[in-house]
Amino acid sequence: MSQATIEHSFQAINPATGEILPGEFIETSLEQITDYGHRSAAAFAEYRNVSGLKKAEFLEQIALEIEALGDALLERAQAETALPLPRLTGERGRTTGQLRLFASYVREGSWVDARIDPALPERQPLPRPDLRQMLRPLGPVGIFGASNFPLAFSVAGGDTASALAAGCTVVVKAHPAHPGTSELVAEAIRTAVQKCNLPEDTFLCIQGRTNETGQALVNHPAIKAIGFTGSFRGGKAIFDAAARRPEPIPVYAEMGSTNPVFFLPQILKEQGAALALAYVASTTLGTGQFCTNPGLSIVTASEATEQFKAQAQQAITQVKPTSMLTKAIREAFHQGISHLTSHGDVQVLGESDATEGYALARPVLLTSTAKALLANPAVAEEVFGPSSIIVQADNPEEMLALAQSLEGHLTATVYGTEEELLQYGDLLAILEQKAGRVIINAFPTGVEVSHAMHHGGPFPATTDARSTSVGTNAIRRFARPVCYQGFPQALLPEELKDTNPLSIWRLWDGVTQK
Amino acid sequence: MSQATIEHSFQAINPATGEILPGEFIETSLEQITDYGHRSAAAFAEYRNVSGLKKAEFLEQIALEIEALGDALLERAQAETALPLPRLTGERGRTTGQLRLFASYVREGSWVDARIDPALPERQPLPRPDLRQMLRPLGPVGIFGASNFPLAFSVAGGDTASALAAGCTVVVKAHPAHPGTSELVAEAIRTAVQKCNLPEDTFLCIQGRTNETGQALVNHPAIKAIGFTGSFRGGKAIFDAAARRPEPIPVYAEMGSTNPVFFLPQILKEQGAALALAYVASTTLGTGQFCTNPGLSIVTASEATEQFKAQAQQAITQVKPTSMLTKAIREAFHQGISHLTSHGDVQVLGESDATEGYALARPVLLTSTAKALLANPAVAEEVFGPSSIIVQADNPEEMLALAQSLEGHLTATVYGTEEELLQYGDLLAILEQKAGRVIINAFPTGVEVSHAMHHGGPFPATTDARSTSVGTNAIRRFARPVCYQGFPQALLPEELKDTNPLSIWRLWDGVTQK
């Protein structure tokens, strides 16, 4: 092995033990990334015209190939992430499930939003030409695997599934914390590409630990959009780089949020004990490493609130510390908590036992006041990991003011009795402007993969409030409308022919019909 | 009048004569713009919940108020733009027509893309919550009036109509070349706001000639999206400023393009003479001041091509020079042509008579070769005005190479007989990746306002290839999906209630239905 190779290779670490895992991974060179971009563009020229039926078969084949990896995939993922096997088994089901959902979506075919305005040759003062429009794929897409979902938001995750479904070729940058898992899944996709006789470069995967590798992908002129899930710092850097390109491209960066949960007074009175337990469970679920853990809750002063806090305090002390995804993430978590509690306005309500494991995180609940948060938004800054801050308002007006002061979030939740929810219409109206998903009486963890899910939200939760990274609507991120004027039937895509051979829903002269 | 006021006031000039027109316009101060942004946000809190029915009435009332301005509007617009009265009459019809089209679109209501995934409480291993999604307005929108359409892409143009239809409040920056026209239309909208009992600040208008005025609007924290039609330089500056904001916002800048027209050999043989006339007419239509004038045509070497060029040469010499929108635009046009012809590779094929009127432009046809253009894209750079360049390829392969080298355009056209169009599938496939609208056998001028129109295209034609500034799809630019989870029926928007009281098309558990 040459010196150059050694310098640019890396290994995975088991965060549960600190052990170096077998397997050496080579950082993809900048020259290779340049080559990959061009190859992806060449493959796109063919793949963009693959039918919905054929794309559906391809997505389903990827799901089958992932399943065919069997326990080896789950074991490697567990070794690289310290996530429990049942969670990873569920995440694999989510991954293959969303591949199959996108397969069914493109097989059905109406997602292309076909619109046909037939010619009106006799119209006065000017005839109308024949106009037909549908969504067409944007081009090669660069996708960054996330650390916290080694399967469902990674190499064959929702970004890849939706981009391939749209007709885009994909170049994935694997997350360096789980390179082995990534390589297994990449090989599964390559096998599916071969079995479906698609262009070999429909899917390409790069490995790397450096920022330069990611930037090279973002800056490649052939890349026409970026999908990303991760930190604000990472996502914003990619957004800025993409906006500075000679040809700017859209960046769909989901950068997480604190997902505020508002507890209204009456429900705390009626169900405070159960809510305290559920709140702590949602906060610490998956070691607090979901984009949708509730990092902030808002209560108003009352006796019930005092009891709720006492119960939450008791619950958090009983949570068993679990490992984070990497030692660096764990250190950032503990530093973030230290930083927060150095504010005079933030107190520790309770925390679990201290622990010295390699990447074990110590779950913690903090408290502060609405006054402090209104004066200084940093009081409720997101700390990625198992923590949440309970912010107390003096009265409903202060709660509303706090809601109004929020930045963009993925989710916002209100817990209330049916009666008091009707009284808090103002709060719901404010939260609808702050979040991509507004939830009543449930914690935000648990993001259904379906048609009506929206996993996005105003900045800084994402860089594009119009987009979702979960659910079938995610496909729209990777497509743009094209209008065909005056085309003979023979030259039109199937979706736009008069006879509607695919039997999709279309807007025909303004009327929705099949 | 104070010194400060005098410094910041300006007047309109009649470009046909150079005369100063009556009326003094005050540059809106930066303090006022700050105030307007906040007032627009306050109005948005109410206007965002106005029903589709009520928004439809409002849009229709704006159309009525514009019509009620009568000839005074057309006369002022003619004086400020030198556009002929019949054109302005048509443009007024386009403006009121698109207001009424958006009215019918939001009255029908299905545009919100409602999606409902009902709860599955019995599902294993986890129940599914009730999830409902629809499009909701983004927030206050900043809109820049365009110089070349003083009505249809200006104060009450397509951007304003689609933003108001989406439920956004609007702050328009009037184009400084037609401040009087803008003020008349702004007053018409304000009257409609009053008659419809909407919040007074639903619509606000600012006047100004300086870049600072526009930048202040783009940088206002309350503004959540920008609509713009104009030059590449102007649009890109706004895009860059918006991307640098603490909270970046989407910019929908339509920046024009040269709209390549490919003439295939056989059709030139059969219809060359008629096509030459039509080409010159489309090039010089509206003094070449449409975003869709054909600024570039591509032919292959043949005897028919020589005849086509001779006929086009003859036609251009007979075009009567007409006035451009401003003297500055006219000077930029003549400078641009001088700059182009200073290339050794660009020749003048023909031009109309020289003229010395205040803002009269001299129509011109240029020629070059595919080889020259492939070596230097600046050979076919857009020059806003009545000019076009005929680029000759040696053979079909060179024509394809040229197509492949194109940047993004609003439109791309192919003229061919039915038989040869079938042979040139590769060309059409390339052009579909380069343009927002691909046209067969028609010139690109004439942009229908309808459901299937797409007036957009890949960068640098626009800053967002996913968006259109003409047609009903333009409404999507100003909306984002919001997901409502676990909402009681009473708290849901009408569009998402079980009973579907608005009778709109929805995706219910994956099935399109009413």
Side-chain angles (χ1 to χ4, degrees):
Chain A
M1 195 178 285
S2 76
Q3 185 63 29
T5 312
I6 290 168
E7 271 172 9
H8 293 90
S9 74
F10 62 100
Q11 291 172 290
I13 293 169
N14 185 331
T17 61
E19 281 176 319
I20 292 178
L21 291 165
E24 193 150 5
F25 301 91
I26 312 296
E27 179 117 7
T28 309
S29 71
L30 300 184
E31 293 72 23
Q32 275 175 299
I33 295 171
T34 301
D35 180 50
Y36 277 20
H38 294 308
R39 280 162 55 184
S40 189
F44 176 68
E46 188 176 335
Y47 184 69
R48 61 191 283 279
N49 290 322
V50 166
S51 70
L53 201 65
K54 181 95 181 141
K55 285 187 291 189
E57 287 168 8
F58 174 41
L59 294 166
E60 286 164 346
Q61 191 63 42
I62 295 173
L64 287 174
E65 298 298 335
I66 288 171
E67 285 162 351
L69 292 170
D71 290 347
L73 176 65
L74 301 182
E75 285 158 13
R76 180 74 196 192
Q78 186 185 31
E80 289 187 329
T81 63
L83 293 168
L85 267 185
R87 145 74 194 266
L88 288 167
T89 308
E91 191 181 328
R92 181 178 60 185
R94 180 187 183 90
T95 308
T96 54
Q98 74 191 351
L99 285 160
R100 290 184 172 115
L101 179 63
F102 279 109
S104 73
Y105 201 50
V106 296
R107 184 177 278 124
E108 193 279 330
S110 301
W111 75 274
V112 299
D113 194 14
R115 296 160 161 245
I116 297 172
D117 296 330
L120 300 173
E122 313 296 335
R123 193 183 62 174
Q124 294 300 329
L126 287 170
R128 178 170 83 181
D130 183 87
L131 295 164
R132 296 169 191 242
Q133 177 190 122
M134 65 180 279
L135 291 171
R136 295 290 289 136
L138 275 186
V141 172
I143 289 167
F144 287 74
S147 65
N148 60 342
F149 277 85
L151 303 172
F153 287 82
S154 196
V155 175
D159 285 345
T160 299
S162 54
L164 291 174
C168 296
T169 54
V170 165
V171 183
V172 165
K173 156 89 169 56
H175 196 281
H178 52 262
T181 308
S182 297
E183 187 44 43
L184 285 168
V185 175
E187 186 55 30
I189 301 179
R190 286 191 288 262
T191 303
V193 166
Q194 277 177 359
K195 287 192 182 170
C196 295
N197 289 312
L198 293 169
E200 191 184 335
D201 297 325
T202 298
F203 170 84
L204 291 162
C205 185
I206 64 183
Q207 293 271 12
R209 283 182 307 178
T210 70
N211 287 342
E212 287 70 28
T213 304
Q215 294 284 345
L217 180 60
V218 174
N219 287 323
H220 197 295
I223 296 293
K224 298 302 181 195
I226 296 288
F228 170 93
T229 299
S231 69
F232 177 79
R233 213 177 62 175
K236 185 60 164 50
I238 289 172
F239 174 84
D240 289 342
R244 279 192 308 261
R245 285 171 45 126
E247 177 192 351
I249 54 173
V251 171
Y252 305 106
E254 190 272 83
M255 305 179 292
S257 62
T258 53
N259 305 298
V261 177
F262 291 77
F263 293 106
L264 301 184
Q266 186 59 30
I267 203 163
L268 272 195
K269 220 168 176 174
E270 294 179 13
Q271 305 175 30
L275 288 176
L277 289 180
Y279 170 49
V280 168
S282 183
T283 295
T284 57
L285 189 69
T287 322
Q289 298 171 125
F290 293 112
C291 305
T292 50
N293 294 97
L296 166 65
S297 67
I298 299 95
V299 294
T300 43
S302 76
E303 200 180 313
T305 293
E306 290 311 310
Q307 282 174 10
F308 169 79
K309 288 199 280 191
Q311 282 147 344
Q313 176 182 33
Q314 203 174 3
I316 196 82
T317 58
Q318 285 163 21
V319 177
K320 197 169 158 264
T322 45
S323 185
M324 295 198 79
L325 293 157
T326 70
K327 194 175 177 67
I329 290 176
R330 182 258 206 180
E331 261 146 42
F333 171 66
H334 285 159
Q335 276 166 23
I337 297 299
S338 297
H339 182 72
L340 273 190
T341 52
S342 70
H343 283 288
D345 289 322
V346 176
Q347 284 80 41
V348 174
L349 178 67
E351 54 190 329
S352 75
D353 287 341
T355 172
E356 286 307 315
Y358 180 73
L360 286 182
R362 189 179 184 183
V364 58
L365 282 185
L366 309 171
T367 58
S368 188
T369 63
K371 278 188 186 50
L373 180 51
L374 284 166
N376 181 6
V379 160
E381 214 160 62
E382 188 185 4
V383 183
F384 186 74
S387 78
S388 191
I389 185 165
I390 303 174
V391 171
Q392 186 162 312
D394 284 347
N395 49 51
E397 292 68 39
E398 208 176 57
M399 186 182 250
L400 276 191
L402 201 149
Q404 193 67 65
S405 78
L406 291 171
E407 290 190 299
H409 288 266
L410 295 170
T411 70
T413 298
V414 180
Y415 268 93
T417 63
E418 211 166 319
E419 198 183 329
E420 68 188 338
L421 285 169
L422 292 170
Q423 293 160 6
Y424 278 79
D426 286 358
L427 176 62
L428 288 166
I430 293 169
L431 296 181
E432 193 200 84
Q433 297 174 67
K434 304 290 185 177
R437 178 165 54 114
V438 187
I439 305 163
I440 288 183
N441 292 343
F443 287 97
T445 41
V447 182
E448 184 74 22
V449 181
S450 71
H451 298 291
M453 174 52 64
H454 183 72
H455 188 61
F459 187 89
T462 77
T463 50
D464 190 332
R466 301 158 296 175
S467 71
T468 180
S469 60
V470 176
T472 49
N473 234 350
I475 197 172
R476 284 190 82 106
R477 298 177 297 169
F478 302 118
R480 66 179 176 91
V482 174
C483 176
Y484 303 80
Q485 177 178 330
F487 270 54
Q489 290 289 313
L491 290 174
L492 282 168
E494 298 291 288
E495 288 85 348
L496 298 178
K497 286 190 204 297
D498 278 351
T499 53
N500 196 9
L502 303 179
S503 191
I504 58 173
W505 288 97
R506 313 192 292 188
L507 196 68
W508 182 282
D509 214 1
V511 178
T512 300
Q513 59 181 233
K514 266 206 185 184
Chain B
M1 193 176 285
S2 76
Q3 185 63 27
T5 311
I6 290 168
E7 270 173 13
H8 292 89
S9 74
F10 62 100
Q11 292 173 290
I13 293 169
N14 185 331
T17 62
E19 282 176 322
I20 292 179
L21 291 166
E24 195 150 4
F25 301 91
I26 312 296
E27 179 117 7
T28 309
S29 72
L30 301 185
E31 292 71 25
Q32 276 175 300
I33 295 171
T34 300
D35 179 51
Y36 278 20
H38 294 308
R39 281 163 55 184
S40 190
F44 175 68
E46 185 176 338
Y47 185 69
R48 62 190 284 278
N49 290 321
V50 166
S51 71
L53 201 65
K54 181 95 183 145
K55 286 186 293 188
E57 286 167 9
F58 174 41
L59 294 167
E60 286 164 347
Q61 192 63 42
I62 296 173
L64 287 173
E65 299 299 335
I66 288 172
E67 285 162 351
L69 293 170
D71 290 346
L73 176 66
L74 300 182
E75 285 158 14
R76 179 74 196 192
Q78 185 184 30
E80 290 187 326
T81 63
L83 292 168
L85 265 186
R87 145 74 195 266
L88 288 167
T89 308
E91 191 181 326
R92 180 177 60 182
R94 179 187 183 91
T95 308
T96 53
Q98 72 193 353
L99 284 160
R100 291 183 172 117
L101 179 63
F102 279 109
S104 73
Y105 201 49
V106 297
R107 183 177 279 126
E108 193 279 331
S110 301
W111 75 275
V112 299
D113 193 15
R115 295 160 162 245
I116 298 172
D117 296 329
L120 300 174
E122 314 295 335
R123 193 183 62 175
Q124 294 298 329
L126 287 170
R128 178 170 83 181
D130 184 86
L131 295 164
R132 297 169 191 241
Q133 178 190 119
M134 66 180 277
L135 290 171
R136 296 290 289 135
L138 275 185
V141 172
I143 289 167
F144 287 75
S147 65
N148 61 341
F149 278 86
L151 301 172
F153 286 81
S154 196
V155 175
D159 285 345
T160 298
S162 54
L164 291 175
C168 296
T169 54
V170 165
V171 184
V172 165
K173 156 87 171 57
H175 196 282
H178 53 261
T181 308
S182 297
E183 187 44 42
L184 285 168
V185 175
E187 187 56 30
I189 301 179
R190 286 191 288 260
T191 304
V193 167
Q194 277 175 359
K195 287 193 181 169
C196 294
N197 289 312
L198 292 169
E200 191 183 337
D201 297 326
T202 298
F203 169 83
L204 291 161
C205 185
I206 63 183
Q207 294 269 13
R209 282 182 309 178
T210 70
N211 287 341
E212 286 69 29
T213 304
Q215 293 286 346
L217 180 59
V218 174
N219 286 325
H220 197 294
I223 296 293
K224 298 303 181 194
I226 296 289
F228 170 93
T229 299
S231 69
F232 177 79
R233 213 177 60 174
K236 185 61 165 50
I238 289 173
F239 174 85
D240 289 341
R244 280 193 307 261
R245 284 169 47 124
E247 176 192 351
I249 55 173
V251 170
Y252 305 106
E254 191 272 84
M255 305 179 292
S257 63
T258 53
N259 304 297
V261 176
F262 291 77
F263 292 107
L264 300 185
Q266 186 59 31
I267 204 163
L268 272 196
K269 221 167 174 173
E270 294 178 12
Q271 305 175 31
L275 288 177
L277 289 180
Y279 169 49
V280 169
S282 184
T283 295
T284 57
L285 189 70
T287 323
Q289 298 173 126
F290 292 113
C291 304
T292 50
N293 293 97
L296 165 65
S297 66
I298 300 96
V299 294
T300 44
S302 76
E303 201 180 312
T305 294
E306 290 310 309
Q307 283 174 9
F308 169 80
K309 288 199 281 191
Q311 283 147 345
Q313 176 182 32
Q314 205 175 1
I316 196 84
T317 58
Q318 287 163 19
V319 176
K320 196 169 158 263
T322 44
S323 184
M324 295 197 80
L325 293 157
T326 70
K327 193 174 178 70
I329 290 176
R330 183 256 206 181
E331 261 146 43
F333 172 66
H334 285 157
Q335 275 165 22
I337 296 299
S338 297
H339 181 71
L340 273 190
T341 52
S342 69
H343 282 289
D345 288 322
V346 175
Q347 283 81 41
V348 173
L349 178 67
E351 54 190 330
S352 75
D353 287 342
T355 172
E356 287 307 314
Y358 180 73
L360 286 182
R362 188 180 185 184
V364 58
L365 282 186
L366 309 172
T367 59
S368 188
T369 63
K371 276 187 188 51
L373 180 49
L374 284 165
N376 181 5
V379 160
E381 215 160 60
E382 189 185 3
V383 184
F384 187 74
S387 77
S388 190
I389 185 164
I390 303 174
V391 171
Q392 185 161 313
D394 284 347
N395 50 52
E397 292 69 39
E398 208 176 58
M399 186 183 251
L400 276 190
L402 201 149
Q404 192 66 66
S405 78
L406 291 171
E407 290 188 299
H409 288 266
L410 294 171
T411 70
T413 298
V414 180
Y415 268 94
T417 64
E418 211 166 320
E419 199 182 330
E420 68 188 337
L421 285 169
L422 291 170
Q423 294 159 8
Y424 278 78
D426 286 358
L427 177 61
L428 288 166
I430 293 169
L431 295 180
E432 193 200 83
Q433 297 173 66
K434 303 290 185 177
R437 178 165 53 115
V438 187
I439 304 162
I440 287 182
N441 292 343
F443 286 97
T445 40
V447 182
E448 184 75 21
V449 182
S450 71
H451 298 291
M453 174 51 66
H454 183 72
H455 188 61
F459 187 90
T462 77
T463 50
D464 190 331
R466 300 157 297 174
S467 71
T468 180
S469 60
V470 176
T472 49
N473 234 350
I475 197 173
R476 285 191 80 106
R477 298 178 297 170
F478 302 118
R480 67 180 175 91
V482 173
C483 176
Y484 303 79
Q485 179 178 329
F487 271 53
Q489 289 289 312
L491 291 173
L492 282 168
E494 298 290 289
E495 288 86 345
L496 298 178
K497 288 191 204 292
D498 278 351
T499 53
N500 196 9
L502 303 179
S503 190
I504 59 172
W505 288 96
R506 314 191 292 188
L507 196 66
W508 182 283
D509 213 2
V511 178
T512 301
Q513 59 181 232
K514 264 204 188 186

